[in-house]
Amino acid sequence: MPDLTDADTIRILVATDSHVGYNERDPIRGDDSWKSFHEVMCLAKSEEVDMILLAGDLFHENKPSRKAMYQVMRSLRMNCYGDKPCELEMLSDASEQFAGAFNHVNYEDQDINIAIPVFSIHGNHDDPSGEGHLCALDILQVAGLVNYYGRTPESDNIQIKPLLLQKGRTKLALYGMSNVRDERLFRTFRDQKVKFFRPGTQQKNWFNIMSVHQNHTAHTETGYLPENFLPDFMDLIVWGHEHECLIDPRLNPEMNFHVMQPGSSVATSLCQAESVPKHVAVVSVTGKEFAVEKHRLKTVRPFLMKEIILNNEPGMKTLVKKQDNRTEITRHLIGVVDKMIDQASTEWQETQADSLAEDDAVETPLPIIRLRVEYSAPDGGKFECENPQRFSNRFQGKVANTSDVVQFYRKKTGATRKNNGSAAANINEDIALAQVTLDNIQVEKLVQQFLTAQSLTILPQNSFGDAVGQFVDKDDKHAMEQFVVQSLADQIQHLMTLKEVDEDVIAQAMDEHRSKLEELFVAGKLKRKGTTKRKPKPEYWDSDLEGSWEDQPGALIYTDGENDHAMGDDVEVASHQSDIGAPRGRGRGSRGGRGIGTTRNTAATKKTTAPTASRGRKKVAEVVEEEDSDVVMIDDDDEEVVEAPKTRRSQPVRKAPAPKSKAFTASKSRKAPSRAAAPTSIRQSKLNFNHPVSQVDDNDDDSILQEVSTLISTGTE
């Protein structure tokens, strides 16, 4: 190939883990995340790069605040819009990567002028969830600000197709794989259910770059993504999720590709890996060669971390056997922290020297200081340390983290643990603490361990853990309520198909149905529905002061009476047949996924009418079986269909009023008793399990309903 010039060079600014919105309520550090992200975007504009590549966790929250969303959109618009023509040419079918109404790359949109396109995958903090399976990046893509690619609609069957770009004679194949739960992704790779696609022609002329967002180090045996799982035809891997900045590309000799780990642009934890200087890189790709230009971020708040062993500090050995030595120890540690504050301020001023003129004076931001003190004392001695909170509050106005400046810990030298009769091993408390950090705690595992000793009859165990995980990790305040309501409704619908009402038979049927739901969940064919109904937001409600109306307990509709209000006070709503037996695909983790490419719905929309009698007049209520909000990607060859159980009695059909749609069906309903005949009516919360009837005695039906309700009440207790 002839010599390539600058006209053939693709300049890519690479960054990851911006975590915009982190700690945004903190009066001191609240603006740190978006300021560093804005610096990255300004750097891309000043360096005149061709594109920006983000490897996940643009936002810190799954549901970013309006402030975080505003700052990101503001920065993107200020730096990525413009009259500068984008010289990248899209060669592949963009609709395979970009779903929705705007299934094309944003710089080819005729209505907006994009000078620097941004390509991003999602991470574990800003992943899709909820109804529609959308994330914050979907909003940015619809707005024309970001090209959201690398979706993983099916975590058990992943297909990775590249975006094919070209500038001059340089061809770039851009691969992306958004975050998938590490254990699940490890199993998917192990089962060889991850498929990579390559360009059909001139495969050796393409520069292949891939962005991932997974654990890079092995926290557990399967809790990470090994580098040798990735294909060897890759040239550069941009690794997100790990916050330690390892910006210099490292060659993997086994796979023969380079790995770059930019790290985060804001410190989200007080550890040694976060205290290293933060960088981003401009990668220049020319043909099959690439070069890296590092840029240190200058708006990052100074962060200095130090660890000391108190017994090795000057003068401490004489205090170890002194009674009430807390004052001397505290005075010594205050001196250590003061020196760290001066050192952090000096280093920050040195980093600003190149960008500031001699006459410019910039106020040094309050630094983040972390002092870890190992205060184990020799035999016969004791170090009395001050309360960490009280000690940290001494530095108000001097540091940014006034509640966790110091951390005291001791090493357990005598603690041992036996493992199947093998030799005892000493346990380092520091390692134990690192393993119990909040980021490493798996909520579902904790729930599973707790429920293993319990005896659940109605609620599926693994779905229970998933609902708790949604409540804790994704701040879904209605996850538990939706799970319990849906589980009870499924059990009732299943029990209504039984031919016998014996207590033992019903208990066995409930247990079998619960086991079946657990198997469907493991197979990825069962997902949690988001069908909670809410009242309309009152006109007087101020969301800025009082929060989102949808998250308030008063917004939920708890009774059938409230649901029926829109149709009339005297309308009974007939329940519809559950479709739990139908196979369901899931998206990332345990939530439903949105298919890309060939899609199909799991259930068609149905309408049924149930004529009822009340106060001498009849009304017809239409119950709409909601179509699943998530689109499932299914291979027709491998589809396994589980038929829903049949009803236990035949259902006579009579003529119904004229249908309003083609999908309209009519069913006969038992006449509702008048209010005068039933002065003590019982209303159930959300659950209404009227069942089809035939020519049988009404007393028989009432006894069946009473038997089922009694058994379920006993089981839940």
Side-chain angles (χ1 to χ4, degrees), residues 305-322:
M305 183 171 181
K306 186 177 181 180
E307 184 171 355
I308 64 174
I309 300 176
L310 198 56
N311 192 42
N312 296 341
E313 291 293 297
M316 290 295 105
K317 292 185 178 179
T318 59
L319 294 176
V320 68
K321 295 186 178 180
K322 180 182 177 180

Side-chain angles (χ1 to χ4, degrees), residues 90 92-100 102-105 119-121 138 141 147-153 159-164 173-178 197 594-597:
M90 175 67 69
S92 59
D93 184 4
S95 63
E96 294 183 350
Q97 290 283 353
F98 308 123
F102 305 96
N103 56 354
H104 54 268
V105 70
F119 295 87
S120 178
I121 62 175
D138 286 295
Q141 177 170 326
N147 299 293
Y148 172 30
Y149 79 113
R151 292 175 170 88
T152 52
Q159 296 184 355
I160 302 176
K161 299 180 180 180
L163 290 172
L164 303 181
L174 182 60
Y175 293 82
M177 183 176 64
S178 295
F197 291 80
R594 175 180 292 273
I596 301 176

